[in-house]
């Protein structure tokens, strides 16, 4: 005949079961609420950082856009291109145009090139720069995929990534716009503005990246203008990922890429029509969460131990 379990043992077992149930349930609820709060805060911080980065790039591009407007609408440029449009000999020689553009760009810290094409294919004006736009007439660029956007924008700047020559082909940021007569808005030519990719790199370098994190900047033609992985610059962006952000709403989504769990943060610029993608390793994004989980489990174990000892 089996021996009956004493009332004391039954009380201890019952009390222990109640403690384990209560503490376990408390740990579960605490971890769940804490993990959601930490994840939301982490995602919000990442998203705000990407939006700020997009804003910094917009500021850089808009400053150069304003400079190009100053040059484009200066009386000197307007008169010269107006003469060419009417098939008259310009009243100003090319050297004076070059000196004027050099004066306007003298205060710019980074190397920059302006190139102005008149309606006549043999009329080109440019400033002194180590960057060299390889086209010297519209005839050479009419088949480029970005050329139609210049006419469609009717004088507004089109920003995109392309290669230029500087001891070999190098990737740059290029802006192009139609030059219009300031009186009747008739077309007078085309303006090109070239910036080194370093201007984007300087903005991105202020974004604190982890070892496994990456940032891509994509233009309106889905070309990767800049990436923290230099091998990707000049390539086309993944169509599948672009479709997920087709509404251009700034947000962050979980994504599995090359067997890695990532959070992809996205921001879009209405001005440049550029997109910024930040790839954050999910482990890095929730590293604070792991600390919270360990603390909750440790507190729970200590609580159960103390209760059982009591």
């Amino acid at each position: 005949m089996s021996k009956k379990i004493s009332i004391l043992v039954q009380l201890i077992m019952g009390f222990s079961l109640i403690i384990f149930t209560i503490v376990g349930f408390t740990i579960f609820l605490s971890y769940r609420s804490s993990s959601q709060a930490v994840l939301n805060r982490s995602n919000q911080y990442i998203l705000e950082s990407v939006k700020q980065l997009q804003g910094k790039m917009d500021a850089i591009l808009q400053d150069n856009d304003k400079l190009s407007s100053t040059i484009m609408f200066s009386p000197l440029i307007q008169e010269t291109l107006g003469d060419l449009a009417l098939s008259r000999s310009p009243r100003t020689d090319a050297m004076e145009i070059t000196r004027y553009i050099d004066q306007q760009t003298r205060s710019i810290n980074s190397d920059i090139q302006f190139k102005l094409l008149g309606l006549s294919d043999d009329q080109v004006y440019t400033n002194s720069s180590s960057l060299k736009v390889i086209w010297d007439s519209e005839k050479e660029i009419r088949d480029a995929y970005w050329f139609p956007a210049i006419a469609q924008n009717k004088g507004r700047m089109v920003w995109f990534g392309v290669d230029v020559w500087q001891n070999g082909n190098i990737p740059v940021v290029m802006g192009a716009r139609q030059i219009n007569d300031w009186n009747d808005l008739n077309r007078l030519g085309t303006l090109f503005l070239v910036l080194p990719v370093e201007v984007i790199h300087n903005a991105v370098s202020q974004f604190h990246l982890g070892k496994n994190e990456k940032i891509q900047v994509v233009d309106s033609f889905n070309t990767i203008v800049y990436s923290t992985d230099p091998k990707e610059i000049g390539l086309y962006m993944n169509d599948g990922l672009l479709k997920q952000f087709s509404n251009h709403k700034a947000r962050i989504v979980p994504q599995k890429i090359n067997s890695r769990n990532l959070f992809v943060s996205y921001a879009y610029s209405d001005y440049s029509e550029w997109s910024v993608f930040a790839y954050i390793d999910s482990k890095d994004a929730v590293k604070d969460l792991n600390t919270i989980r360990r603390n909750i489990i440790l507190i729970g174990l200590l609580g159960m131990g103390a209760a059982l000892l009591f």
Side-chain angles (χ1 to χ4, degrees):
M1 188 173 177
S2 59
K3 187 178 178 181
K4 273 191 162 186
I5 301 175
S6 68
I7 293 176
L8 178 60
V9 173
Q10 291 181 44
L11 286 173
I12 291 174
M13 291 175 63
F15 186 55
S16 301
L17 181 61
I18 292 171
I19 290 173
F20 274 97
T21 302
I22 293 173
V23 173
F25 190 65
T26 303
I27 290 174
F28 172 75
L29 291 180
S30 298
Y31 176 71
R32 187 173 180 179
S33 59
S34 299
S35 63
Q36 193 60 48
V38 170
L39 188 59
N40 290 342
R41 187 167 63 249
S42 177
N43 286 349
Q44 188 63 32
Y45 171 76
I46 294 169
L47 187 59
E48 287 301 321
S49 298
V50 172
K51 289 164 70 175
Q52 288 177 14
L53 175 59
Q54 180 67 74
K56 287 179 181 178
M57 287 194 299
D58 272 0
I60 292 170
L61 298 182
Q62 286 173 338
D63 284 345
N64 287 282
D65 193 340
K66 291 175 183 175
L67 176 59
S68 72
S69 295
T70 300
I71 292 173
M72 182 175 72
F73 289 115
S74 69
L76 184 66
I77 300 299
Q78 286 281 310
E79 288 174 4
T80 301
L81 296 183
D83 288 340
L84 293 172
L86 297 173
S87 300
R88 296 194 303 236
S89 296
R91 286 164 278 183
T92 307
D93 62 26
M95 287 300 298
E96 188 171 344
I97 301 286
T98 298
R99 283 194 295 270
Y100 169 73
I101 301 176
D102 281 338
Q103 287 174 357
Q104 296 298 314
T105 57
R106 188 173 297 162
S107 60
I108 306 296
N109 292 329
S110 57
D111 194 6
I112 183 174
Q113 186 189 24
F114 278 92
K115 197 162 196 175
L116 283 66
L117 306 182
L119 293 183
S120 175
D121 277 341
D122 60 347
Q123 296 296 333
V124 182
Y125 302 98
T126 185
N127 63 319
S128 304
S129 171
S130 63
L131 300 170
K132 300 298 178 187
V133 178
I134 59 176
W135 314 294
D136 287 325
S137 70
E138 282 195 4
K139 190 185 300 181
E140 299 175 17
I141 57 175
R142 282 173 190 155
D143 293 331
Y145 64 89
W146 43 261
F147 183 73
I150 299 175
Q152 291 169 9
N153 272 23
K154 299 179 180 179
R156 290 185 296 111
M157 189 73 84
V158 182
W159 291 103
F160 51 94
V162 74
D163 287 350
V164 299
W165 182 262
Q166 189 185 53
N167 299 322
N169 280 350
I170 61 167
V172 295
V173 175
M174 179 170 287
R177 69 192 306 170
Q178 182 174 292
I179 304 175
N180 297 325
D181 189 301
W182 59 10
N183 292 316
D184 53 22
L185 297 182
N186 287 332
R187 182 169 172 271
L188 297 178
T190 307
L191 178 147
F192 290 99
L193 184 160
V194 182
L195 297 170
V197 172
E198 282 71 23
V199 297
I200 299 181
H201 176 74
N202 293 337
V204 172
S205 62
Q206 300 174 32
F207 189 95
H208 301 294
L209 290 170
K211 184 174 66 174
N212 299 316
E213 297 172 3
K214 181 175 71 174
I215 287 180
Q216 291 173 328
V217 180
V218 181
D219 65 21
S220 58
F221 305 103
N222 300 337
T223 302
I224 299 175
V225 178
Y226 173 83
S227 174
T228 47
D229 181 0
K231 297 190 298 293
E232 296 180 341
I233 298 177
L235 302 178
Y236 283 107
M237 187 64 180
N238 180 279
D239 286 335
L241 193 58
L242 286 172
K243 287 177 182 176
Q244 293 192 47
F245 299 99
S246 57
N247 61 358
H248 300 315
K249 183 179 179 181
R251 58 198 176 99
I252 187 167
V253 298
Q255 191 78 15
K256 191 164 188 175
I257 301 176
N258 296 330
S259 302
R260 289 176 57 206
N261 292 318
L262 303 171
F263 286 112
V264 181
S265 186
Y266 170 85
Y268 176 78
S269 167
D270 290 322
Y271 161 69
S272 65
E273 299 182 356
W274 283 13
S275 301
V276 175
F277 295 85
Y279 300 81
I280 313 297
D281 194 292
S282 59
K283 293 178 182 177
D284 293 335
V286 296
K287 59 185 177 182
D288 293 335
L289 185 57
N290 294 329
T291 303
I292 290 174
R293 179 173 57 190
R294 286 194 298 269
N295 291 340
I296 288 175
I297 291 174
L298 180 60
I299 291 170
L301 291 174
L302 290 174
M304 285 189 288
L308 288 173
L309 182 62
F310 172 76

